[in-house]
Amino acid sequence: MRKLLFLSVLLIIGAGIFTSVFGQADVGIQAKFAGGEVVSVSDSKIVLKTKDGEIEVVLSESTAYKRVPPENPTLKAAVDSNFSEIGTGDKLLVTGTVGEDKKSVPAKTIYLITKSDIAQRQAKESQEWKTRGIAGKVVSVDPLNKEITISTRSIVGETKTVISPKEEVHYKRYAQDSIKFSEATESTLGAINPGDMIRALGDRGESNTFKAELIVTGAFQTTAGTILSVDPEKNEVTVNDIQTKKPVTVVISQTSIVKEFPAEMAQRLAMMQMMRASGAQPPQGGGQRQGGDRPPQENAGSGQQSGQGRPGMGGGMRGGSIDDMLERFPNITVADLKVGEMIAVSSSKTANPERITAIKLLSGVEPFLKVPQMTAGRGGRGGQSGGQDSGFNIPGLDDGFGVP
């Protein structure tokens, strides 16, 4: 009876592990199982990297191998596999009695989800979010009618949409102080507040309505300022926050997106913002279309990997969403940032405002930061055009979420 109960619990846990972000979740090391990424493989053992440290998976002739299919990432759907299918970078969930020192586990069953399957699933999900997703800022929540009104900004303007949950809607919310989607928790409509950022997957209706089957929310902030110091070894920069006038340390992680806004494009878009804020009609065009929003995912591919330095800053907008535009920006590294230049950072709202971890970091944003002052000087609406928690609006930063 106890064995059946344990297996049932394990199946539930495992289903959550693989379904949540398709193998990205790290369950760490527990008494009866361990899960993580394959670091190395030999004939007698597999080394896993987990959030709790490395652990050796000891293999035997009785070890069973199961492969979790990408089209149905649950343990119940696992099919028979074999040792030869396991490679570096794959994700494993291993059942067995973990040693007291948590350094080894004799493998009873190994559930495998391959690196290629993860990539395949992520590509499919990314495309689905691009065609069936919407993102914006929560304007209001109507619990009685179960409606969420959001504001979606594009290059050419702002649109309000009413999101209604489908009958079997699934809610997720980013954990406080976390930028990892794998750490997002189950949530409810009641947890959503005006000012939150939201992404929803579903079907668009008429008259700016949207029926959602998945709703992901989070409390994010945008911080901007002049760089006071750069520490490439620690992957940190310190800025003087233009709002609080206090220093803020920005941590750039492996999942942070670090880009430079092309100078010509920044000037052009900032000018359009200034015209709108002053009541003038900006010129139409630019090739941007609304929509095409993407889900928050970690392992997004940081600018730390690019090594591209600061290549040419040309480039017009060739169509696509703001996220598509952001992807085409030059990748940069912490070492490329210079004391005295201005940057803007999106991050999760944190209990410690003096230290934040970047979801996205953009340099080359000075034109946008000047818009509120310039419009105020001209007697315009000033900060009313601004971004989240600020008097500025920087395309690509104001949704908070990362991109794949």
Side-chain angles (χ1 to χ4, degrees):
M1 184 69 180
R2 284 186 177 180
K3 184 177 180 181
L4 286 174
L5 178 61
F6 166 72
L7 288 175
S8 298
V9 171
L10 185 60
L11 282 171
I12 293 171
I13 293 173
I17 292 167
F18 287 108
T19 302
S20 60
V21 276
F22 200 71
Q24 289 183 8
D26 187 344
V27 297
I29 302 171
Q30 306 294 326
K32 296 294 183 180
F33 59 89
E37 182 176 314
V38 176
V39 175
S40 64
V41 182
S42 67
D43 292 339
S44 59
K45 68 180 181 182
I46 299 170
V47 178
L48 285 186
K49 180 182 179 182
T50 81
K51 65 178 182 180
D52 300 321
E54 290 191 353
I55 186 170
E56 290 187 355
V57 178
V58 182
L59 308 176
S60 69
E61 292 183 358
S62 62
T63 300
Y65 300 90
K66 298 285 185 179
R67 181 167 177 170
V68 179
E71 66 275 5
N72 184 13
T74 63
L75 298 192
K76 287 183 178 181
V79 297
D80 289 338
S81 182
N82 56 68
F83 170 76
S84 64
E85 289 195 285
I86 300 174
T88 303
D90 293 343
K91 302 281 187 176
L92 301 183
L93 177 67
V94 181
T95 66
T97 303
V98 175
E100 292 185 4
D101 60 359
K102 293 187 176 182
K103 296 297 184 182
S104 65
V105 54
K108 183 177 181 181
T109 303
I110 293 178
Y111 293 91
L112 160 70
I113 184 164
T114 67
K115 183 168 57 176
S116 61
D117 282 348
I118 293 173
Q120 176 185 335
R121 180 69 178 188
Q122 286 179 341
K124 181 179 178 181
E125 289 179 347
S126 179
Q127 181 61 28
E128 186 174 24
W129 277 91
K130 190 173 182 179
T131 56
R132 300 184 61 233
I134 189 171
K137 182 177 181 180
V138 177
V139 175
S140 64
V141 181
D142 184 346
L144 186 62
N145 294 311
K146 296 183 178 181
E147 292 181 343
I148 307 163
T149 300
I150 72 168
S151 171
T152 302
R153 276 203 296 260
S154 68
I155 299 300
V156 296
E158 180 179 15
T159 303
K160 288 187 178 178
T161 303
V162 176
I163 297 177
S164 301
K166 293 184 179 181
E167 186 174 345
E168 296 183 356
V169 67
H170 188 55
Y171 293 94
K172 299 282 286 186
R173 187 170 180 85
Y174 273 75
Q176 185 179 11
D177 299 333
S178 172
I179 64 171
K180 293 183 178 180
F181 183 62
S182 61
E183 295 177 356
T185 58
E186 299 298 319
S187 189
T188 64
L189 176 65
I192 303 174
N193 302 301
D196 286 346
M197 302 312 298
I198 184 171
R199 280 196 168 175
L201 183 68
D203 303 305
R204 296 179 186 272
E206 298 179 354
S207 303
N208 292 325
T209 60
F210 192 94
K211 289 286 187 179
E213 60 206 45
L214 173 61
I215 294 175
V216 185
T217 59
F220 301 102
Q221 62 188 5
T222 300
T223 304
T226 303
I227 296 178
L228 299 175
S229 64
V230 180
D231 190 333
E233 291 186 3
K234 291 184 178 179
N235 271 346
E236 294 179 359
V237 296
T238 301
V239 300
N240 184 34
D241 191 325
I242 63 173
Q243 293 179 277
T244 66
K245 309 302 181 185
K246 296 180 179 179
V248 176
T249 298
V250 181
V251 180
I252 293 87
S253 71
Q254 290 185 350
T255 61
S256 299
I257 299 165
V258 187
K259 298 275 187 174
E260 180 159 12
F261 216 113
E264 182 181 344
M265 185 186 298
Q267 291 285 355
R268 184 166 65 251
L269 296 182
M271 181 63 69
M272 292 171 64
Q273 287 185 9
M274 186 178 67
M275 293 178 68
R276 281 197 298 266
S278 301
Q281 182 64 35
Q284 298 297 313
Q288 288 293 321
R289 62 172 172 82
Q290 191 173 313
D293 302 298
R294 299 192 176 197
Q297 292 187 20
E298 55 196 74
N299 299 324
S302 163
Q304 302 305 306
Q305 301 170 355
S306 68
Q308 293 182 14
R310 299 196 174 206
M313 305 307 292
M317 293 171 285
R318 300 194 302 266
S321 70
I322 289 178
D323 279 349
D324 292 331
M325 177 187 73
L326 186 66
E327 283 189 79
R328 294 195 291 266
F329 288 175
N331 292 315
I332 59 174
T333 69
V334 174
D336 292 316
L337 300 173
K338 306 299 181 185
V339 172
E341 75 174 305
M342 302 191 81
I343 62 171
V345 180
S346 67
S347 68
S348 173
K349 285 189 175 179
T350 173
N352 180 9
E354 297 178 356
R355 187 176 180 84
I356 60 177
T357 300
I359 298 174
K360 302 176 188 176
L361 184 154
L362 281 179
S363 66
V365 297
E366 188 170 353
F368 300 104
L369 303 182
K370 290 182 177 179
V371 170
Q373 295 93 322
M374 294 175 68
T375 54
R378 296 187 178 195
R381 296 194 298 268
Q384 290 183 7
S385 69
Q388 171 183 349
D389 298 330
S390 64
F392 50 84
N393 168 21
I394 300 174
L397 274 190
D398 56 356
D399 71 356
F401 298 110
V403 295

